[in-house]
Amino acid sequence: MSVKAESDLNIEEMERAWKRRDASYDGLFLFGVKTTGIFCRPSCPSLPQRQNIEFFPNMAAALGAGYRPCKRCRPELASGEPPEWIESLMRAVRENPETRFDAARLREKNLTPERVRRWFRTNYGMTFAAWARGVRLSRAFETIRTGGCLDEAVFEAGFDSHSGFREAFRNTFKTAPGRSASVNESNEPIHVSVLSTPLGPMLAAATASELVLLEFADRRGLSGNFREMRRRMRRPLVPGENALLMGLKSELSDYFSGKRTEFSVPYRREGSPFQLKVWEALRSIPYGTSASYREIAKRLGIPQAVRAVGRANGQNRLYLIIPCHRVIANDGSLSGYGGGVWRKKLLLDLERKNRLG
């Protein structure tokens, strides 16, 4: 039985939730079934024997142990589509930003503060309080940038005083509220959103004008990419959507339904000159086809740089937009993919089917 250290749920609590098929724990942990090789969300109606299951804190751990997602309960969607008890809380925060959802108010909604905290830590890497604060401040930032008055922004952000709002605003956006309407783009936040796809949730990050990250939410090293993005762009990260992310959501839906072969959303690529050349070469691989690392190296005029091409391919932060899934091993087999080889196969199958169909 393996429970990774990063989960603060103990085995007894997970076992009780599993026995009850408790949907309120969906997104907090997963269980793998040794006899079938699949992993499921806690609410899955399957009935494996207790001795045949092991628990995992997240999808990355389950995949890393060799399990594949259950087709019945679709555990890869557990984090992308929050359970209703979380969705209703998130909706309440968005609709009532002036309301403070402290422990007492959470209990009034029949929610355990500890469980709420765990869910947000597990799925968003932050506390519920931090998430709610980000939502309020993001709305306030947009109010001021679009000409709204400071009093209106303070009220919308749910702060009791101008001083409290100014301090929180300055800590988040690195500028005073009164100056935000005229600051340069470096102070504009990067909105981060979880987008549901048939292959599991993806994390997308974008400014008002450019997509800067799109990766599967369970990808190993994703948190490091966020830290690097924050350091490189020197902008605050806040949860929420903007027009660009809403457009991306629509394009992803079209892509997975076979209606779109190319993405039009504007994006930013940042890397070394060599990485930029490799990523541009990836963009030239036609939809529904694939190319080997050796072929990419030859196209770039440096046939000896096969390994370097592979490294650059693995450093792509814009999945699907820059189609690194279309690069295969030199012998024609599927090689590693940050989103998982099983996703790589499904993406290639999807594109080939739609290209031929």
Side-chain angles (χ1 to χ4, degrees):
M1 198 177 306
S2 61
V3 178
K4 306 301 182 183
E6 53 264 43
S7 174
D8 59 355
L9 290 174
N10 57 44
I11 293 176
E12 291 73 22
E13 185 175 1
M14 288 188 286
E15 187 171 29
R16 287 194 298 269
W18 166 72
K19 288 180 178 178
R20 297 194 305 266
R21 304 295 186 266
D22 194 338
S24 70
Y25 278 79
D26 285 357
L28 295 181
F29 75 92
L30 301 162
F31 69 90
V33 184
K34 300 175 184 178
T35 53
T36 61
I38 65 171
F39 68 92
C40 308
R41 60 174 77 191
S43 63
C44 184
S46 61
L47 297 171
Q49 296 293 315
R50 175 64 184 86
Q51 66 268 23
N52 292 329
I53 71 170
E54 57 180 341
F55 297 109
F56 298 97
N58 51 50
M59 190 170 170
L63 290 170
Y67 289 91
R68 65 185 186 280
C70 172
K71 293 182 179 180
R72 188 176 184 181
C73 70
R74 304 293 298 277
E76 69 275 17
L77 300 182
S79 298
E81 297 179 349
E84 178 54 32
W85 63 282
I86 282 289
E87 180 59 37
S88 63
L89 178 60
M90 296 168 71
R91 187 164 54 246
V93 171
R94 295 188 184 103
E95 294 175 353
N96 305 281
E98 71 282 358
T99 301
R100 290 302 183 91
F101 290 86
D102 55 16
R105 195 174 294 275
L106 289 175
R107 291 191 181 98
E108 289 176 2
K109 296 175 68 66
N110 296 319
L111 296 175
T112 305
E114 293 75 19
R115 184 177 296 179
V116 172
R117 174 181 59 81
R118 283 196 296 261
W119 193 93
F120 276 89
R121 281 287 191 191
T122 300
N123 292 273
Y124 286 173
M126 61 177 67
T127 64
F128 167 65
W131 178 86
R133 187 182 307 114
V135 170
R136 295 196 304 269
L137 286 173
S138 177
R139 179 175 298 189
F141 185 81
E142 293 303 317
T143 296
I144 295 175
R145 286 292 294 265
T146 55
C149 68
L150 183 57
D151 286 338
E152 181 182 351
V154 171
F155 174 77
E156 287 189 352
F159 286 87
D160 298 326
S161 67
H162 282 70
S163 61
F165 171 72
R166 287 179 183 278
E167 180 180 358
F169 194 102
R170 185 179 292 107
N171 289 339
T172 301
F173 298 110
K174 309 305 179 185
T175 187
R179 296 181 55 200
S180 64
S182 59
V183 295
N184 60 45
E185 68 169 11
S186 65
N187 292 300
E188 182 183 355
I190 296 173
H191 284 90
V192 181
S193 184
V194 180
L195 306 179
S196 297
T197 80
L199 298 186
M202 299 189 78
L203 277 176
T207 65
S209 59
E210 295 174 314
L211 180 69
V212 295
L213 184 139
L214 179 65
E215 296 186 346
F216 287 101
D218 59 351
R219 187 201 170 187
R220 293 178 181 178
L222 183 62
S223 59
N225 284 348
F226 268 96
R227 288 193 296 271
E228 171 62 18
M229 180 175 62
R230 187 194 298 270
R231 183 198 65 78
R232 186 177 69 251
M233 302 191 69
R234 297 183 179 181
R235 299 186 185 191
L237 304 180
V238 296
E241 291 187 335
N242 55 24
L244 191 146
L245 287 174
M246 292 175 67
L248 172 63
K249 185 176 182 179
S250 177
E251 291 193 9
L252 283 173
S253 177
D254 288 345
Y255 169 81
F256 281 105
S257 64
K259 300 176 183 177
R260 174 179 291 274
T261 61
E262 294 183 1
F263 292 88
S264 62
V265 61
Y267 61 90
R268 173 184 296 192
R269 297 175 301 177
E270 290 193 355
S272 68
F274 178 76
Q275 288 174 328
L276 294 177
K277 288 181 181 179
V278 172
W279 297 337
E280 187 60 33
L282 301 186
R283 293 265 305 164
S284 69
I285 303 175
Y287 177 91
T289 67
S290 59
S292 69
Y293 296 105
R294 180 174 291 120
E295 288 171 332
I296 296 297
K298 288 181 178 179
R299 291 182 193 180
L300 296 175
I302 42 176
Q304 73 280 7
V306 176
R307 290 183 179 272
V309 167
R311 286 194 297 271
N313 188 70
Q315 291 162 339
N316 173 37
R317 303 182 185 92
L318 292 165
Y319 281 29
L320 305 184
I321 307 298
I322 297 176
C324 54
H325 62 277
R326 295 177 190 163
V327 183
I328 59 177
N330 297 326
D331 63 2
S333 63
L334 298 183
S335 55
Y337 179 58
V341 174
W342 65 274
R343 284 197 179 103
K344 184 171 190 172
K345 180 180 186 305
L346 291 176
L347 288 170
L348 291 173
D349 289 346
L350 169 74
E351 293 185 355
R352 287 167 182 158
K353 176 183 176 181
N354 291 327
R355 179 170 176 262
L356 297 174

